[in-house]
């Protein structure tokens, strides 16, 4: 189905369903996610997938996982006097091409992702389930690394822009 199952040979820890994509509606801005009133979620499981090998040598292996997701084309307002905003019933194609590389000299898996997006008013997320149950994590930000709590601040619950589990980062978390 185009997802990865990765086993850390040093620890025996297994990570399943890696490289799953999730798409849902977006009417917020660059800083704040806001879902439409009538939202729908599209997951990449079951989408057409083609897997090919582009490099297979003793030092490196690279394979390409190409997925085609069909998502609502845009956001639509039902009627000017009706506050219901929903995703359209017309669909657009998003092509996701992940070049996955494993090298003999590195314990890391490198993924280069290319997205051909033909839809608007949506948010595409890469889901990487870790199974980690810590209460804090470290993430990169511009010119620094920060430690954050996993939870949302309770006092932000009634704020106009309430806290969110999703936080900004530049390259890793």
């Amino acid at each position: 189905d185009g997802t990865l199952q990765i086993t850390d040979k040093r620890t025996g820890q297994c990570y399943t369903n890696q490289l799953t994509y999730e798409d849902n509606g977006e009417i917020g801005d660059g800083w704040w996610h806001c879902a439409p009133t009538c939202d729908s979620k599209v997951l990449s499981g079951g989408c057409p997938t083609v897997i090919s090998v582009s490099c297979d040598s003793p030092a490196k292996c690279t394979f390409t996982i190409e997925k085609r997701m069909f998502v609502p084309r845009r956001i639509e307002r039902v009627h000017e006097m009706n506050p219901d905003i929903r995703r359209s019933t017309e669909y657009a194609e998003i092509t996701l091409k992940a070049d996955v590389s494993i090298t003999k000299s590195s314990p890391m898996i490198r993924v280069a992702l290319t997205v051909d997006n033909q839809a608007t008013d949506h948010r595409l997320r890469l889901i990487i389930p870790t199974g980690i149950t810590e209460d804090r994590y470290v993430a990169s930000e511009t010119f620094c690394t920060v430690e954050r709590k996993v939870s949302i601040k309770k006092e932000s619950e009634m704020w106009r822009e309430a806290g969110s589990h999703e936080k900004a980062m530049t390259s890793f978390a």
Side-chain angles (χ1 to χ4, degrees), residues 24-28 33-41 74-79 81-88 121:
N24 61 352
E26 175 63 71
I27 59 173
H33 166 64
C34 184
T37 312
C38 301
D39 198 9
S40 61
K41 183 188 301 186
R74 68 182 70 81
I75 293 293
E76 295 177 342
R77 185 177 292 278
V78 177
H79 186 277
M81 301 305 289
N82 185 339
D84 282 350
I85 298 172
R86 66 174 134 223
R87 299 185 83 181
S88 69
D121 310 320

Side-chain angles (χ1 to χ4, degrees), residues 50-111:
V50 175
I51 302 171
S52 59
V53 176
S54 58
C55 175
D56 189 9
S57 73
K60 180 180 180 181
C61 177
T62 301
F63 55 97
T64 301
I65 304 168
E66 190 169 320
K67 286 190 153 294
R68 292 175 36 227
M69 290 179 69
F70 295 91
V71 302
R73 183 170 294 283
R74 68 182 70 81
I75 293 293
E76 295 177 342
R77 185 177 292 278
V78 177
H79 186 277
E80 287 301 317
M81 301 305 289
N82 185 339
D84 282 350
I85 298 172
R86 66 174 134 223
R87 299 185 83 181
S88 69
T89 55
E90 182 184 346
Y91 284 80
E93 182 178 327
I94 298 175
T95 303
L96 302 132
K97 180 182 165 192
D99 290 315
V100 181
S101 296
I102 305 167
T103 60
K104 183 177 181 177
S105 60
S106 174
M108 293 181 12
I109 296 173
R110 297 194 182 276
V111 179

